[in-house]
Amino acid sequence: MKLYIASNFSSRHRLRPIKFNLKKIGFEVLSEWIDNNPMDNILDRGSDSIGNHLEATQQIAARDIREVTACDIFIIDTQSLGRNGGRECELGMALIARTPHIFRVGPIRNVFHTHKAIKVYKSWEELLPVLEALL
């Protein structure tokens, strides 16, 4: 099964071990942004990704759209506060695409996080057994 994790870009380091564990148990995790992002060096120097490097941001957006629309399981991680709303846009795509399984890990941050299609978990530890049962 194909799985996509949406979260803040700043959460990528925290999510790397989770992605690794999900792959280890048999999921195809499509969230390339967690490991491989052409903006890593630029953003780590304090620059933003909103239009300052147009070609790179266009490539990132196209990649993420392909991955979100290809997944069977979409997970939005709301544990960290966000500044740019990328994960919210991805959640909207998953809802519109009627992704079969949509989960939220973390608190409600906006009204769309309460959508009836989203199953809610407080932590990744709570969600992992549910995901394993889907395999």
Side-chain angles (χ1 to χ4, degrees):
M1 292 187 90
K2 295 179 183 179
L3 184 147
Y4 187 88
I5 302 168
S7 191
N8 299 32
F9 185 71
S10 60
S11 297
R12 69 195 182 283
H13 302 294
R14 176 177 56 82
L15 293 171
R16 282 178 184 156
I18 294 168
K19 179 180 178 180
F20 175 80
N21 287 336
L22 289 167
K23 288 171 84 171
K24 194 167 129 181
I25 62 172
F27 287 100
E28 181 181 349
V29 184
L30 304 176
S31 306
E32 190 178 326
W33 69 271
I34 293 173
D35 298 315
N36 180 17
N37 196 313
M39 296 294 289
D40 272 350
N41 293 332
I42 294 165
L43 291 172
D44 287 341
R45 291 193 306 262
S47 178
D48 70 54
S49 65
I50 312 300
N52 286 339
H53 303 278
L54 188 58
E55 186 176 329
T57 56
Q58 288 171 337
Q59 290 172 6
I60 291 166
R63 178 201 63 205
D64 292 353
I65 289 168
R66 277 191 310 275
E67 291 180 352
V68 169
T69 56
C71 72
D72 307 299
I73 300 170
F74 178 91
I75 303 166
I76 184 167
D77 177 301
T78 63
Q79 294 183 20
S80 302
L81 287 171
R83 292 184 336 190
N84 63 13
R87 71 180 174 196
E88 312 310 337
C89 184
E90 293 167 343
L91 173 62
M93 285 187 282
L95 288 168
I96 289 169
R98 297 178 191 257
T99 303
H101 304 282
I102 302 176
F103 300 98
R104 186 185 82 230
V105 177
I108 296 167
R109 303 260 184 220
N110 71 48
V111 297
F112 295 101
H113 294 169
T114 65
H115 192 281
K116 64 183 179 181
I118 302 171
K119 296 171 189 81
V120 179
Y121 294 87
K122 292 179 185 174
S123 69
W124 281 95
E125 292 75 25
E126 243 183 61
L127 176 58
L128 285 175
V130 175
L131 294 175
E132 287 185 68
L134 292 173
L135 279 175

